[in-house]
Amino acid sequence: MLIKQSRGTRSFTADPKKNPTRMPGERLTIRKPSEVGRFPGAAAPTRVELTIQSEGGKKQEEGACRRWLRKICPCCCKRQNSASYDITDKVEFTKPPAPAVVTTPEPDKSKPENGEMKETEEVKLSVCMVDLLSSKSGQNRVEHHTDLYHGDELIIRRGQTFQMEIEFNRPFSADMDKMRLELKTGSLPIVSKGTHVIIPFVDSLKDERWEAKITEQKCNKIRLSVNSPADAVIGLYGLTVTTQSAKDEEPTVYNSSENIIMLYNPWCEEDNVFLDDEEQRKEYVLNDTGRIYYGTEKQIGARTWNFGQFHEGILEACLFILEKSGMPPSGRGDPVNVVRVISAMINAPDDYGVLVGNWSGKYSDGVSPAAWSSSVEILRKYHSSNAIPVKYGQCWVFSGVTTTVLRCLGIPARSVTNFQSAHDTDVSLTTDVYFDENMQPIDFLNNDSVWNFHVWNDCWMARPDLPPGHGGWQAVDSTPQETSQGTFRCGPASVSAIRSGHVYLRHDTPFVFSEVNSDKIYWQRKLDGTFCQVYSEKKAIGHCISTKAVGSDERADITHLYKHPEDSEEERIAVETACRYGSKPDIYSAPAAEDVKVEVKIDGEGPRMGSDAKLSIVVKNQSSQPRQTTLYSQVAVMYYTGVLKNVIKKDNIPVDLLPNEEKTIDWVLPYQQYQNQLVDQAALMLTLSGRVSGTKQVLANQTTFRLRTPDLQITPLGEAVVGKEMSAKITFTNPLPRVLKNVVFRVEGLGLQKGHEVVVGDVGAKATVTLTEHFIPAHPGLRKLVASLDCKQLTQVHGVADIIVCEQ
């Protein structure tokens, strides 16, 4: 390791030959012959240049001893082995039998009395070689839309024909010789379960069944077309070819050393995951990057996520997850079952799944959820560690990894964000808020919560298990919130059933309905200890449901898929239909007065981190009589899940209104009051409550808002050409009037360079950090370089740059 330091700039050069073991904080070596495609010679070490410029222009240096200590301390971080992953080693339970040593019988050289050789048919037929024609650029992989997957194994989609070649020790005779193909998956293949497939030979191929046809024969070689049904079990198959020449002859069995990986097929009309739109298939199956949204409905933030479903080792990791789930291989033909299992396996509780959830704000023994920008490192780490759950995740991380796994297996999927997302804990299908006799919140009763945002997934499939009309998009959630049939999982729940309030349809439709369309009911405790309903908000839950648009990085609002327009007759019928199946079916018997309205408005993009937060409270009297009230306001720091940390400011605001008058009240939260109080998402909740004198109308409003953080600015430098070194400059300015401690950058670009960390250290108040990445693109086309910043004082700082890489 060579460390050079000059004036405020630190340069790092990693040489894998001199440094076979990477130290904590050292960037990953991104070069090895298997990852530079057609340019194995372009293996120069990647370089990183770092500059920290203070607000006054003075460059910031770090002591060499401290930097050295951080580099070499072995207890800070342990690197995983970056060797390639072989699927037959990792997916142990479906590993096909080892190739048999086939002894090719020598032709009988004895001659009869006439001196002629024996007839060809008397030579025992045996297989010399099987070629699955699995090249990435070959016909099979291209026609099956699997040419983007790493490696040269045969990866195919069910319900579609594929080609293979067999070479024998002599010409094959259809009249005299017998041949049988068999595919086996799982530890105990059974014909009746669809895990042991005996493929018959036919003269003409037909759809929807296993069959094979000889399409060409040249000398000792034959070419086969093999067809699979659209409901075939997905996973890893081993292939055997059995041959027999004479009736009473002992068969010869050839075990192919090549594996066949079967996936779902969104291009096949008979497959339950069929998606009849090529642009959507490109987006929801083939796109390996996407956007995940966060924040609040008035301040929607977006971050780029590398799904990386075609990256080296990811398909193997996904098959490994199915094995670890304990799901019988026979059940893997049904996408409903597989999605439900994946929902459970992405989180760690119950089954030692992929990710450990952590909302505590303490991540020292793992990675902060906000620091992840990719599913690749998470899945490879889980696989290589033989199923040790990865630390840590929150909802967007669970969703990003779920999207990766589903797309990798061939199920169309997308990450979906719901703003003001309710968490119903008592199956009432309402969000309940309890107040005491003085209209002060009763914290120990307020178990229902409203998350600023919550990210889950939609996946596309038919639902033959439900009444007609409920196929299409299905909601699935891997974040461990509530158990479903005893396991932390959720879905797949039909989005059309959610929209209509048909919460009696499986799976977990009531929970998702509450997240997007429950009413918020306010209860007040009476002197006798009972509660009465004093107010209801019909528009408080489920706003701006968002996902990445097809074919662009724009945000698509899909709220209309989950619910009818607010206040429409259809929406009210759906809510009341759903609540009839909840634990409080009589919730709508009490009317509420509505002649005084209160709402909170946020100007522009909202308050920024490091400045005073300013909002506007608008109170409007819609009656022809004067109204008086006192608004009680409190603002609390909040985890994005809706759990309040602590109240940091309270106020009483008297309001007198003339008939039909509207008043705007300026509300300010000084920076000094929140600077040391914030948690991960820099989120706060402003709660307003009050009672109108005379009419006794109850006023209630809860508004969440976040403090906006700056983006990382990424500027590509130089020409982007495969095999040619280029650079990118990443710039960040600390918005806070305080030092950021232990700042770490994470940088990754699929097809550009491996994901790695760059340890920056402390960044002074208002200081600017400039990081220059040097890398060699390995693949042409549109690529995205993604970076994120991780430190305790500032989260959700990230950036992305589009880089169009040209062929050399």
Side-chain angles (χ1 to χ4, degrees):
M1 171 62 68
L2 174 64
I3 303 177
K4 298 184 293 184
Q5 182 170 341
S6 175
R7 298 186 175 178
T9 301
R10 299 199 292 271
S11 298
F12 304 89
T13 302
D15 188 334
K17 295 181 180 179
K18 296 180 180 180
N19 299 276
T21 302
R22 291 189 296 270
M23 298 303 178
E26 178 183 340
R27 64 162 300 143
L28 302 181
T29 302
I30 67 164
R31 294 285 188 267
K32 63 178 181 178
S34 66
E35 293 185 342
V36 292
R38 296 183 290 112
F39 298 88
T46 296
R47 294 177 289 114
V48 181
E49 299 173 9
L50 171 66
T51 302
I52 303 179
Q53 190 78 23
S54 66
E55 183 180 18
K58 183 179 179 180
K59 292 185 178 179
Q60 186 174 317
E61 298 186 6
E62 182 184 34
C65 291
R66 181 180 175 189
R67 183 173 62 257
W68 175 84
L69 179 61
R70 184 172 63 242
K71 297 290 182 184
I72 68 167
C73 182
C75 55
C76 296
C77 164
K78 292 184 179 180
R79 293 289 185 189
Q80 296 294 338
N81 194 314
S82 61
S84 61
Y85 302 89
D86 183 79
I87 191 167
T88 58
D89 290 335
K90 296 302 176 184
V91 189
E92 298 173 358
F93 296 104
T94 57
K95 182 179 178 181
V101 179
V102 179
T103 303
T104 304
E106 292 289 335
D108 189 346
K109 297 183 179 179
S110 63
K111 295 184 179 181
E113 293 180 359
N114 60 7
E116 295 180 357
M117 295 291 294
K118 286 187 176 182
E119 295 295 329
T120 301
E121 60 266 25
E122 295 182 17
V123 177
K124 186 174 182 178
L125 182 71
S126 62
V127 176
C128 298
M129 184 187 71
V130 172
D131 186 353
L132 295 180
L133 307 176
S134 58
S135 168
K136 290 179 66 174
S137 59
Q139 177 184 358
N140 281 335
R141 296 278 294 269
V142 171
E143 288 184 349
H144 285 251
H145 304 94
T146 60
D147 51 309
L148 294 175
Y149 288 89
H150 184 273
D152 283 323
E153 289 189 292
L154 180 58
I155 306 170
I156 57 175
R157 300 188 187 276
R158 64 185 191 176
Q160 190 171 338
T161 302
F162 64 94
Q163 315 300 315
M164 60 184 292
E165 291 182 351
I166 302 177
E167 182 178 353
F168 300 98
N169 63 320
R170 63 167 173 79
F172 175 81
S173 171
D175 294 329
M176 303 296 297
D177 298 322
K178 294 181 180 180
M179 176 174 55
R180 184 172 75 245
L181 300 181
E182 295 182 58
L183 293 174
K184 299 178 181 180
T185 185
S187 58
L188 186 63
I190 301 175
V191 172
S192 62
K193 299 290 187 181
T195 53
H196 179 185
V197 179
I198 301 174
I199 304 177
F201 281 82
V202 297
D203 295 328
S204 177
L205 293 177
K206 296 182 181 179
D207 294 335
E208 300 185 33
R209 65 184 183 185
W210 285 105
E211 55 195 0
K213 176 185 177 182
I214 298 175
T215 58
E216 186 179 347
Q217 182 168 358
K218 289 184 179 179
C219 297
N220 292 5
K221 283 188 176 181
I222 63 171
R223 188 180 181 94
L224 303 177
S225 286
V226 183
N227 200 38
S228 64
D231 61 352
V233 171
I234 68 158
L236 183 70
Y237 285 86
L239 170 67
T240 62
V241 183
T242 304
T243 56
Q244 189 176 21
S245 299
K247 182 177 181 181
D248 298 327
E249 183 181 78
E250 185 73 19
T252 300
V253 178
Y254 179 91
N255 295 310
S256 174
S257 61
E258 297 184 77
N259 302 313
I260 297 177
I261 301 175
M262 181 76 74
L263 304 177
Y264 293 106
N265 194 349
W267 284 266
C268 174
E269 291 187 14
E270 289 75 31
D271 197 315
N272 280 347
V273 302
F274 173 65
L275 182 58
D276 188 19
D277 186 298
E278 180 60 22
E279 292 305 310
Q280 290 189 23
R281 287 193 291 255
K282 289 178 180 178
E283 180 67 49
Y284 299 132
V285 182
L286 300 181
N287 195 350
D288 58 3
T289 60
R291 304 277 275 174
I292 296 180
Y293 299 93
Y294 64 96
T296 71
E297 74 273 17
K298 297 179 181 178
Q299 301 167 278
I300 297 177
R303 65 181 303 162
T304 298
W305 191 271
N306 284 335
F307 299 121
Q309 67 267 32
F310 307 119
H311 198 281
E312 180 183 5
I314 298 305
L315 178 55
E316 294 90 333
C318 293
L319 296 176
F320 175 76
I321 290 170
L322 286 180
E323 290 295 333
K324 282 297 180 182
S325 73
M327 180 187 194
S330 58
R332 297 176 192 169
D334 184 356
V336 175
N337 291 340
V338 169
V339 165
R340 191 148 173 81
V341 167
I342 293 300
S343 170
M345 283 299 299
I346 298 304
N347 63 69
D350 309 319
D351 43 28
Y352 296 98
V354 177
L355 273 165
V356 178
N358 186 345
W359 288 264
S360 70
K362 299 177 182 179
Y363 316 115
S364 60
D365 59 338
V367 175
S368 166
W372 299 114
S373 292
S374 169
S375 305
V376 173
E377 182 181 353
I378 295 170
L379 288 170
R380 290 183 62 168
K381 186 173 183 180
Y382 180 74
H383 186 201
S384 63
S385 68
N386 196 28
I388 297 177
V390 179
K391 299 177 180 179
Y392 287 104
Q394 292 181 6
C395 70
W396 65 91
V397 187
F398 288 107
S399 174
V401 174
T402 300
T403 299
T404 299
V405 175
L406 295 183
R407 289 186 184 181
C408 186
L409 297 177
I411 300 174
R414 61 191 184 187
S415 290
V416 172
T417 302
N418 178 41
F419 294 94
Q420 293 298 100
S421 186
H423 182 172
D424 178 23
T425 58
D426 62 357
V427 203
S428 66
L429 280 74
T430 58
T431 302
D432 300 301
V433 183
Y434 293 93
F435 293 91
D436 62 16
E437 296 84 352
N438 299 317
M439 289 304 295
Q440 296 298 311
I442 305 175
D443 293 336
F444 73 92
L445 290 180
N446 289 329
N447 295 317
D448 288 354
S449 60
V450 180
W451 299 28
N452 291 354
F453 68 95
H454 182 47
V455 190
W456 61 73
N457 294 85
D458 280 348
C459 59
W460 182 274
M461 65 181 70
R463 290 299 300 269
D465 58 321
L466 300 181
H470 291 97
W473 289 116
Q474 313 290 313
V476 55
D477 193 346
S478 300
T479 301
Q481 297 181 88
E482 299 289 336
T483 58
S484 172
Q485 295 176 315
T487 300
F488 281 102
R489 59 186 170 187
C490 182
S494 167
V495 173
S496 67
I498 294 165
R499 189 172 193 257
S500 302
H502 296 162
V503 297
Y504 46 84
L505 298 175
R506 62 180 186 178
H507 295 280
D508 308 310
T509 312
F511 186 81
V512 183
F513 177 88
S514 297
E515 289 181 301
V516 300
N517 205 17
S518 58
D519 285 353
K520 183 180 281 190
I521 308 297
Y522 293 82
W523 303 85
Q524 183 180 19
R525 185 171 60 197
K526 296 191 292 185
L527 293 176
D528 61 2
T530 62
F531 287 86
C532 64
Q533 180 182 339
V534 293
Y535 185 65
S536 66
E537 280 189 274
K538 298 178 175 60
K539 303 179 183 179
I541 304 300
H543 297 164
C544 301
I545 303 176
S546 303
T547 191
K548 178 186 172 298
V550 173
S552 78
D553 283 341
E554 298 299 314
R555 182 182 68 88
D557 192 307
I558 57 171
T559 308
H560 63 284
L561 298 181
Y562 276 86
K563 57 200 293 189
H564 294 282
E566 293 284 5
D567 281 343
S568 66
E569 186 67 15
E570 295 90 340
E571 189 262 346
R572 285 292 92 195
I573 291 173
V575 171
E576 294 179 19
T577 298
C579 286
R580 280 200 292 269
Y581 295 91
S583 59
K584 298 176 182 177
D586 300 324
I587 201 72
Y588 292 98
S589 58
E594 296 182 348
D595 59 354
V596 176
K597 300 286 186 180
V598 60
E599 64 176 321
V600 176
K601 293 185 177 181
I602 301 174
D603 293 334
E605 295 183 336
R608 291 187 171 274
M609 178 72 77
S611 303
D612 294 348
K614 299 179 180 179
L615 306 178
S616 298
I617 301 172
V618 179
V619 187
K620 185 174 182 179
N621 178 13
Q622 295 179 319
S623 75
S624 58
Q625 301 294 321
R627 295 286 186 251
Q628 297 83 37
T629 186
T630 297
L631 289 177
Y632 301 93
S633 73
Q634 68 173 38
V635 62
V637 174
M638 184 175 67
Y639 295 97
Y640 82 96
T641 57
V643 176
L644 301 182
K645 179 186 176 186
N646 57 282
V647 175
I648 57 177
K649 181 186 178 184
K650 288 186 175 183
D651 280 315
N652 294 339
I653 309 172
V655 181
D656 293 325
L657 297 168
L658 297 175
N660 299 308
E661 182 183 12
E662 178 179 297
K663 280 190 175 181
T664 299
I665 302 164
D666 294 329
W667 182 89
V668 178
L669 175 64
Y671 168 72
Q672 289 75 15
Q673 285 191 255
Y674 71 75
Q675 62 174 331
N676 296 319
Q677 303 291 331
L678 299 179
V679 290
D680 284 353
Q681 295 292 324
L684 301 114
M685 172 182 279
L686 174 62
T687 299
L688 301 173
S689 62
R691 187 186 298 277
V692 179
S693 302
T695 65
K696 303 302 181 182
Q697 175 191 349
V698 172
L699 302 176
N701 180 281
Q702 289 182 319
T703 300
T704 58
F705 62 97
R706 68 182 179 95
L707 302 165
R708 288 179 52 81
T709 52
D711 293 329
L712 296 180
Q713 302 300 321
I714 305 178
T715 306
L717 305 174
E719 188 179 11
V721 178
V722 173
K724 180 180 177 182
E725 182 175 298
M726 67 171 296
S727 305
K729 184 173 68 174
I730 304 173
T731 305
F732 162 75
T733 299
N734 178 8
L736 302 183
R738 62 190 298 188
V739 175
L740 300 181
K741 299 286 188 179
N742 303 318
V743 173
V744 176
F745 280 88
R746 287 175 171 265
V747 186
E748 181 182 30
L750 298 181
L752 298 174
Q753 64 170 337
K754 269 190 175 183
H756 64 278
E757 290 183 354
V758 179
V759 179
V760 175
D762 296 346
V763 177
K766 305 294 184 178
T768 297
V769 177
T770 301
L771 178 71
T772 303
E773 292 277 324
H774 301 268
F775 51 90
I776 301 177
H779 301 288
L782 176 61
R783 300 290 163 183
K784 293 181 182 291
L785 185 66
V786 181
S788 64
L789 178 147
D790 181 22
C791 77
K792 182 69 175 177
Q793 298 82 16
L794 199 62
T795 64
Q796 291 291 6
V797 178
H798 41 78
V800 60
D802 289 339
I803 299 177
I804 300 177
V805 181
C806 302
E807 291 275 13
Q808 190 176 51

